[in-house]
């Protein structure tokens, strides 16, 4: 009979011990659940930040692409203007040679048509120089915009990396 009482006592002690362990495990589970909730909140925040950064990056890339297209267009126009200027300079040089020859032959003052043509050529060359300067200025502005876009893209990438590290 004492053995039975002792056996029941051991069962009671085991039961109490199991209750205590169960309570301890339940507390640990509760702590883990709280940690899990915090981590899910951090994940949601990080995903939201990442989404915004990706949108900003996409906008910056679209702007960069647009500016690149504009830059190519301006570079192409500048190249065409340089070619035209080169041809104009060659034509001017030829006209100078002709003028020199004509002055030697009969004098330039007596030929109004030749004087008008020379004035027209000078005016056209001046206009081309002005247009070339405008194109150079536009090219410079586009280069500055591309640098700013690249810097914004770099900053956005840095923010994404910082968000991933956090």
């Amino acid at each position: 009979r004492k053995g039975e009482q002792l056996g029941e006592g051991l069962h009671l002690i085991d039961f109490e011990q199991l209750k205590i362990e169960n309570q301890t495990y339940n507390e640990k589970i509760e702590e883990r659940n709280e940690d899990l909730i915090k981590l899910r909140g951090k994940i949601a925040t990080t995903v939201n930040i990442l989404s915004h950064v990706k949108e900003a990056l996409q906008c910056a890339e679209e702007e960069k692409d647009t500016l690149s297209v504009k830059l190519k267009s301006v570079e192409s126009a500048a190249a065409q203007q340089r070619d035209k200027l080169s041809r104009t300079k060659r034509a001017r040089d030829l006209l100078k040679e002709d003028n020199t020859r004509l002055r030697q032959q009969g004098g330039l003052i007596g030929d109004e048509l030749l004087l008008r043509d020379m004035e027209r050529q000078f005016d056209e060359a001046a206009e081309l120089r002005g247009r070339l300067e405008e194109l150079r200025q536009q090219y410079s502005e586009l280069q500055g915009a591309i640098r700013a876009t690249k810097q914004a893209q770099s900053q956005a990438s840095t923010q994404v990396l910082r968000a991933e590290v956090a």
Side-chain angles (χ1 to χ4, degrees), residues 51-64:
S51 174
H52 288 299
V53 169
K54 282 184 178 180
E55 284 180 29
L57 180 61
Q58 183 179 6
C59 288
E61 286 177 349
E62 288 173 4
E63 184 178 353
K64 178 192 69 93

Side-chain angles (χ1 to χ4, degrees), residues 52-102:
H52 288 299
V53 169
K54 282 184 178 180
E55 284 180 29
L57 180 61
Q58 183 179 6
C59 288
E61 286 177 349
E62 288 173 4
E63 184 178 353
K64 178 192 69 93
D65 291 342
T66 301
L67 290 174
S68 292
V69 169
K70 284 182 180 179
L71 177 62
K72 286 180 184 178
S73 173
V74 169
E75 286 176 342
S76 173
Q80 289 174 352
Q81 291 298 322
R82 280 192 297 270
D83 290 343
K84 187 175 181 182
L85 180 62
S86 178
R87 287 190 305 271
T88 303
K89 284 182 178 181
R90 276 185 260 138
R92 180 199 64 197
D93 291 342
L94 291 174
L95 287 173
K96 281 184 179 180
E97 290 174 12
D98 285 347
N99 282 337
T100 303
R101 186 179 46 79
L102 287 174

Side-chain angles (χ1 to χ4, degrees), residues 71 75 137-149:
L71 177 62
E75 286 176 342
Q137 179 66 28
Q138 189 177 6
Y139 177 80
S140 175
E141 291 170 3
L142 287 173
Q143 287 289 46
I146 286 174
R147 281 192 292 278
T149 301

Side-chain angles (χ1 to χ4, degrees), residues 122-148:
F122 279 120
D123 291 343
E124 184 178 335
E127 287 176 16
L128 288 175
R129 282 190 293 276
R131 178 67 179 141
L132 179 61
E133 188 59 37
E134 290 174 12
L135 289 172
R136 285 181 177 158
Q137 179 66 28
Q138 189 177 6
Y139 177 80
S140 175
E141 291 170 3
L142 287 173
Q143 287 289 46
I146 286 174
R147 281 192 292 278

Side-chain angles (χ1 to χ4, degrees), residues 1-162:
R1 193 167 166 131
K2 279 189 172 183
E4 285 180 20
Q5 288 176 351
L6 183 60
E8 284 181 28
L10 284 177
H11 288 298
L12 186 58
I13 291 172
D14 287 343
F15 178 72
E16 289 299 321
Q17 181 65 31
L18 288 175
K19 276 177 55 178
I20 291 170
E21 288 178 10
N22 192 25
Q23 180 65 30
T24 304
Y25 288 135
N26 282 337
E27 288 172 3
K28 286 183 180 180
I29 288 172
E30 188 62 34
E31 287 176 17
R32 296 296 190 266
N33 283 339
E34 289 173 7
D35 290 345
L36 185 60
I37 289 170
K38 288 178 186 176
L39 287 174
R40 284 184 179 156
K42 286 182 180 180
I43 288 171
T45 302
T46 302
V47 167
N48 193 15
I49 289 170
L50 182 60
S51 174
H52 288 299
V53 169
K54 282 184 178 180
E55 284 180 29
L57 180 61
Q58 183 179 6
C59 288
E61 286 177 349
E62 288 173 4
E63 184 178 353
K64 178 192 69 93
D65 291 342
T66 301
L67 290 174
S68 292
V69 169
K70 284 182 180 179
L71 177 62
K72 286 180 184 178
S73 173
V74 169
E75 286 176 342
S76 173
Q80 289 174 352
Q81 291 298 322
R82 280 192 297 270
D83 290 343
K84 187 175 181 182
L85 180 62
S86 178
R87 287 190 305 271
T88 303
K89 284 182 178 181
R90 276 185 260 138
R92 180 199 64 197
D93 291 342
L94 291 174
L95 287 173
K96 281 184 179 180
E97 290 174 12
D98 285 347
N99 282 337
T100 303
R101 186 179 46 79
L102 287 174
R103 280 184 192 213
Q104 290 172 354
Q105 287 178 358
L108 189 58
I109 297 176
D111 194 353
E112 273 190 33
L113 180 63
L114 194 54
L115 283 173
R116 285 188 199 141
D117 185 50
M118 188 170 93
E119 286 177 358
R120 185 183 57 78
Q121 290 291 332
F122 279 120
D123 291 343
E124 184 178 335
E127 287 176 16
L128 288 175
R129 282 190 293 276
R131 178 67 179 141
L132 179 61
E133 188 59 37
E134 290 174 12
L135 289 172
R136 285 181 177 158
Q137 179 66 28
Q138 189 177 6
Y139 177 80
S140 175
E141 291 170 3
L142 287 173
Q143 287 289 46
I146 286 174
R147 281 192 292 278
T149 301
K150 285 181 180 178
Q151 184 179 12
Q153 184 179 13
S154 174
Q155 289 174 351
S157 295
T158 303
Q159 288 176 352
V160 168
L161 289 175
R162 286 183 182 158

